[in-house]
Amino acid sequence: MVLRMTVGLALTAIALAVAGRRLWWLKRLAFTGQPAPERVAAVRAHPGRDVETQATEVIGQRKLLKWSVPGAAHAATFWGFIVLLLTIIEAYGNLFSRTFAIPGIGHWAFIGFVEDLFAVGVLLGIATFTVIRLRNNPSKEGRKSRFFGSHTRAAWVVLGMIFLVIATLLLYRGAQINTGVFPYKHGAFASEIVGHWLHPLGYGVNSVLEVVFLLGQIAVVMAFAVIVVYSKHLHIALAPLNVLFSRRPNALGPLEPMRSNGKVLDFEEADPDTDVFGLGKIEDFTWKGLLDMATCTECGRCQSQCPAWATGKPLSPKQVILDLRDHAFAKAPYLLAASDDDREKLPDDVKKEAERPLVGKDGGVIDPDVIWSCTNCGACVEECPVDIEHIDHIDGMRRHQVLIESAFPVEAAGMLRNLENKGDPWGMGEMRRAEWITELDFEIPVVDGTIDPEIEYLFWVGCAGALEDRAKKTTKAIATLLHTAGVKFAVLGPAETCTGDPARRIGNEFVFSMLAQQNVETLNEAGAKKVVASCPHCFNTISREYPQLGGNYEVIHHTQLLARLVAEGRLQPVTPVQEKLTYHDPCFLGRHNKVYTPPREILDAVPGVEATEMHRCKERGFCCGAGGARMWMEERIGKRINIERIEEALALEPDTISTSCPYCLVMLGDAVAAKKSSGDAPDTLEVVDVAQLLARSVRSEVPAVADGDSGADGAGPAGS
Ligand code: SF4
Ligand code: SF4
């Protein structure tokens, strides 16, 4: 008894010391990052919401269960380990007393049954993981495997350790049954089966096996604890923390303002020597950013959904997180050194690591092509089971590259210049913003001063909607439909300027602030309360980013308003539109803002329309390639994202591809044009906004929409 107690406790003490030292080191490393007081404040402000999040995301495994087979296997393993905490209590109790039972419940057959049930569940879980890993072997599948780039050897070690945890558990319990000290008379079915196998060995051998496998169980559990804190399985300990401090409801939608030393950066007072401008080195990340890196499970779900990765670009959101983590760990001795003298004494490889640029072509931690490939589509954030905030990190690095290094794709310089000087990406100027109004046969009030109290909605047209030929057709269709439904609306006309979305997404927070402040001032002075936006990027920026600057409005997307008008009978689609079509979800409407249903309701209401879904739709929708200011950059690497998307649509043989975003309209339109010219798409195939389809079907007192072409002629996407 004394021997088993001594060995068991000694093993535990050593393992806890090693694991504790590592955890202390990780904590010190995390706090070399920037402060993030807003994250702590958010947690304190919403304790109820946090409990709910832990219950659904961590305990409920919500995101993991979206992937049915691996999700079920993970849930079985995770829940199994929670239940098996009872068996660990029993194992430690058995170090002190062979007949130990948990006080109160320790002899209930139900508890014995549940313990064994979850032990078997864990075994089934790891068997499933084994099959999944063999079938998704990156050395055979290459980039197609979601484990490509992950540390697969460590994953196999952990699977082996989990097997040993369960194997030693069942073996010592089986031996206990044969020596008569097992606390459960019935219920522990798996232990009873193992006990049956061991029974022929007799009492003496079973007594020895009881001790050997009990100590084996404690040794394996403790070794597992050490491996966890030194491997990707650190997520077991960190995932609940990372989920707790993540942005709520998620890190989609708005970008956060730039912060330095825990405060929102004021460009007028900022000092480049002491303030942090975006993410220029690993210690510019907040502790939450560093926690993200340590929490990554390397599951590759993000990578499997990334449109950049799917089309052969160098960007994998998983690899970004892993490269940052490897760099943070390698630079850690430098970051944790107490003084410059101590840093001088560090090994050369650490000093070399400390000097590596965070983003750079030669020897940088992250290749510039990686950060510029991101479309900010949000697929990675949506999928990540531990709520890692990839877009914030990628756009944070962009901010530093643009604001401090002046290093960004040259072709985007014109867009930024036009935004600064003319207020729109094409440089067409404010006077052309109202031209589309003259192409309609009814009056639209243009706000001059304050909005007339009779006006219900301010129609935010957006740069593309006002100036780009294809998007102008959507604008005119929306205006016509609102007019038909008797909705009182007005536009800002020349007083509207770009929301700043492309500037913010490319990393030029300075230009974004300038444009956004100007718009917020205009909207506030006009007394705007309800805004309807036709562009999902404008919709996202005005509704979820302008509150950061004091602009608070009730903002809806045109599909939400039109769907409501149809439901209320104020718009009646009666003319059949006999077309087979498929709907493309814009990322900034769908994933970023969860507006999936209204566009589909509109299509369902149009008689004759036969709508079919693409394989990748709704929260798994595939980007058109324009977001994250990619609209203004060349796409030189890999396959074009819009072509990949259109090929998916073409497989359904549609007559029409519909969407609800001017960026998507242009990108998909360009891809269709390319496919038509190569003979791979019928000449009749159209790409239209759902508003255009609705307008074709609604009986209108107003003459048909005029399609005058007097704007930016597809000058949108660079290289389109
Ligand atoms: S936002 Fe989209 S493009 Fe960017 S890394 Fe995530 S999945 Fe890839
Ligand atoms: S970032 Fe999230 S989704 Fe991607 S590999 Fe890591 S844990 Fe998985």
Side-chain angles (χ1 to χ4, degrees):
M1 202 55 158
V2 175
L3 182 68
R4 73 159 81 175
M5 207 162 70
T6 311
V7 174
L9 294 181
L11 281 174
T12 306
I14 293 166
L16 291 183
V18 175
R21 189 164 171 265
R22 174 71 170 181
L23 285 174
W24 178 245
W25 180 85
L26 286 166
K27 182 193 162 261
R28 286 177 60 220
L29 178 59
F31 283 104
T32 59
Q34 289 281 306
E38 74 286 356
R39 299 301 177 107
V40 181
V43 168
R44 287 201 181 127
H46 304 285
R49 185 189 66 184
D50 299 329
V51 170
E52 189 190 326
T53 306
Q54 292 290 317
T56 53
E57 303 292 323
V58 181
I59 310 285
Q61 305 267 286
R62 184 186 68 84
K63 281 190 174 176
L64 284 151
L65 285 168
K66 285 202 281 185
W67 293 48
S68 41
V69 175
H74 192 278
T77 312
F78 172 77
W79 292 331
F81 269 88
I82 291 180
V83 171
L84 293 180
L85 287 175
L86 290 174
T87 65
I88 292 176
I89 295 172
E90 288 171 344
Y92 277 95
N94 287 149
L95 286 181
F96 298 92
S97 162
R98 285 183 74 194
T99 55
F100 175 82
I102 298 173
I105 58 170
H107 293 289
W108 293 2
F110 176 71
I111 298 292
F113 170 75
V114 169
E115 287 174 347
D116 275 25
L117 183 69
F118 279 90
V120 172
V122 172
L123 282 180
L124 290 175
I126 59 171
T128 310
F129 285 138
T130 304
V131 174
I132 289 171
R133 285 194 169 268
L134 289 173
R135 289 177 62 177
N136 285 281
N137 186 347
S139 53
K140 286 195 191 131
E141 299 282 309
R143 282 173 68 106
K144 279 195 196 145
S145 166
R146 67 183 165 97
F147 300 118
F148 186 90
S150 301
H151 298 96
T152 47
R153 206 171 294 167
W156 285 115
V157 170
V158 167
L159 282 184
M161 291 301 295
I162 297 175
F163 173 77
L164 288 178
V165 168
I166 304 300
T168 52
L169 174 75
L170 294 179
L171 282 164
Y172 102 79
R173 282 159 74 96
Q176 277 188 323
I177 290 171
N178 294 330
T179 56
V181 296
F182 191 54
Y184 306 103
K185 282 206 170 62
H186 306 288
F189 64 96
S191 305
E192 283 168 14
I193 292 171
V194 176
H196 183 70
W197 294 338
L198 299 178
H199 190 260
L201 299 175
Y203 180 87
V205 175
N206 272 288
S207 299
V208 175
L209 292 181
E210 181 195 321
V211 180
V212 169
F213 287 122
L214 170 65
L215 292 177
Q217 157 88 165
I218 286 172
V220 171
V221 168
M222 285 298 119
F224 188 59
V226 172
I227 288 174
V228 160
V229 295
Y230 277 92
S231 72
K232 77 178 187 102
H233 281 75
L234 194 53
H235 77 267
I236 294 172
L238 298 185
L241 265 187
N242 205 51
V243 169
L244 180 68
F245 289 108
S246 287
R247 287 212 262 146
R248 287 285 146 234
N250 52 37
L252 294 170
L255 275 185
E256 298 217 290
M258 277 176 69
R259 290 194 171 89
S260 172
N261 302 311
K263 292 193 190 118
V264 174
L265 197 67
D266 179 341
F267 279 101
E268 284 180 14
E269 293 181 2
D271 179 350
D273 292 329
T274 54
D275 278 309
V276 173
F277 282 78
L279 303 172
K281 47 192 184 312
I282 200 75
E283 54 269 40
D284 290 344
F285 286 78
T286 64
W287 58 261
K288 171 62 178 65
L290 292 163
L291 185 61
D292 269 4
M293 295 166 208
T295 309
C296 177
T297 71
E298 305 187 22
C299 67
R301 282 170 169 79
C302 56
Q303 180 174 288
S304 74
Q305 302 300 309
C306 175
W309 182 256
T311 53
K313 319 278 189 287
L315 164 63
S316 150
K318 173 184 77 178
Q319 205 57 54
V320 168
I321 300 299
L322 297 189
D323 288 346
L324 292 171
R325 178 175 76 190
D326 291 348
H327 172 62
F329 284 5
K331 192 176 174 182
Y334 183 88
L335 297 173
L336 295 172
S339 65
D340 285 347
D341 280 351
D342 289 349
R343 287 196 184 99
E344 269 312 304
K345 290 178 204 147
L346 289 169
D348 284 348
D349 57 335
V350 175
K351 285 195 243 173
K352 208 168 154 204
E353 188 70 33
E355 282 163 15
R356 282 177 81 192
L358 191 69
V359 177
K361 232 353 179 192
D362 299 312
V365 177
I366 305 287
D367 189 286
D369 284 333
V370 167
I371 61 167
W372 298 116
S373 293
C374 179
T375 67
N376 279 207
C377 73
C380 48
V381 177
E382 177 78 34
E383 285 301 329
C384 181
V386 291
D387 286 358
I388 286 169
E389 300 167 342
H390 313 74
I391 296 179
D392 292 1
H393 304 324
I394 290 171
D395 286 359
M397 289 187 270
R398 285 182 173 190
R399 282 169 168 173
H400 186 86
Q401 291 302 303
V402 171
L403 296 173
I404 299 298
E405 309 290 342
S406 288
F408 56 91
V410 281
E411 62 272 20
M415 176 270 285
L416 286 171
R417 211 172 26 248
N418 288 334
L419 287 182
E420 264 189 279
N421 299 333
K422 299 280 189 178
D424 69 79
W426 295 281
M428 294 173 74
E430 73 269 18
M431 293 322 292
R432 298 199 56 189
R433 282 185 174 269
E435 278 179 4
W436 63 273
I437 299 173
T438 62
E439 294 159 17
L440 291 170
D441 293 332
F442 56 91
E443 295 287 316
I444 297 178
V446 177
V447 177
D448 183 14
T450 54
I451 297 172
D452 190 313
E454 281 200 350
I455 299 290
E456 188 181 3
Y457 283 101
L458 180 76
F459 179 17
W460 186 275
V461 179
C463 300
L467 302 166
E468 203 280 334
D469 283 336
R470 284 168 282 187
K472 274 167 69 179
K473 292 177 185 172
T474 308
T475 306
K476 288 183 276 185
I478 296 167
T480 305
L481 288 164
L482 296 182
H483 180 71
T484 305
V487 174
K488 300 272 186 225
F489 70 99
V491 295
L492 286 174
E496 191 183 293
T497 180
C498 175
T499 57
D501 167 83
R504 184 169 237 197
R505 297 281 160 178
I506 206 170
N508 198 328
E509 188 73 0
F510 179 75
V511 172
F512 166 76
S513 297
M514 190 185 82
L515 294 166
Q517 271 162 11
Q518 185 181 334
N519 280 325
V520 168
E521 230 166 79
T522 306
L523 288 165
N524 287 351
E525 276 172 17
K529 292 200 168 47
K530 289 163 112 180
V531 177
V532 55
S534 58
C535 169
H537 299 265
C538 298
F539 169 60
N540 181 64
T541 306
I542 301 171
S543 62
R544 301 186 66 191
E545 295 186 338
Y546 281 8
Q548 296 164 4
L549 298 158
N552 294 289
Y553 322 102
E554 187 186 322
V555 190
I556 58 171
H557 185 250
H558 72 269
T559 54
Q560 293 173 298
L561 181 54
L562 295 179
R564 197 165 78 211
L565 294 172
V566 170
E568 288 170 353
R570 292 169 70 185
L571 287 174
Q572 294 179 353
V574 288
T575 308
V577 178
Q578 300 290 357
E579 288 185 17
K580 186 175 170 193
L581 63 80
T582 188
Y583 174 72
H584 163 85
D585 285 284
C587 301
F588 277 78
L589 186 64
R591 237 178 339 253
H592 282 277
N593 286 289
K594 308 293 172 245
V595 179
Y596 298 115
T597 311
R600 289 175 169 82
E601 285 173 346
I602 294 171
L603 294 176
D604 286 348
V606 175
V609 161
E610 186 196 331
T612 42
E613 294 285 3
M614 281 183 267
H615 171 59
R616 293 177 283 198
C617 63
K618 300 179 186 168
E619 69 268 22
R620 292 251 169 93
F622 192 82
C623 183
C624 73
R630 285 288 326 162
M631 179 104 165
W632 317 103
M633 300 177 217
E634 298 282 358
E635 194 172 338
R636 297 188 186 89
I637 308 172
K639 184 178 181 180
R640 290 185 68 88
I641 292 174
N642 59 347
I643 295 286
E644 168 82 7
R645 184 53 163 167
I646 278 302
E647 284 174 356
E648 188 177 353
L650 285 176
L652 299 172
E653 299 182 352
D655 304 310
T656 300
I657 296 161
S658 66
T659 188
S660 48
C661 167
Y663 282 27
C664 299
L665 198 71
V666 170
M667 295 302 279
L668 300 181
D670 286 349
V672 164
K675 286 288 174 188
K676 281 181 183 172
S677 65
S678 64
D680 295 322
D683 283 341
T684 50
L685 181 65
E686 277 189 295
V687 181
V688 295
D689 191 281
V690 291
Q692 289 172 271
L693 276 168
L694 181 62
R696 284 178 197 173
S697 180
V698 167
R699 185 170 45 207
S700 168
E701 302 299 315
V702 180
V705 176
D707 282 345
D709 288 352
S710 58
D713 54 351
S720 62

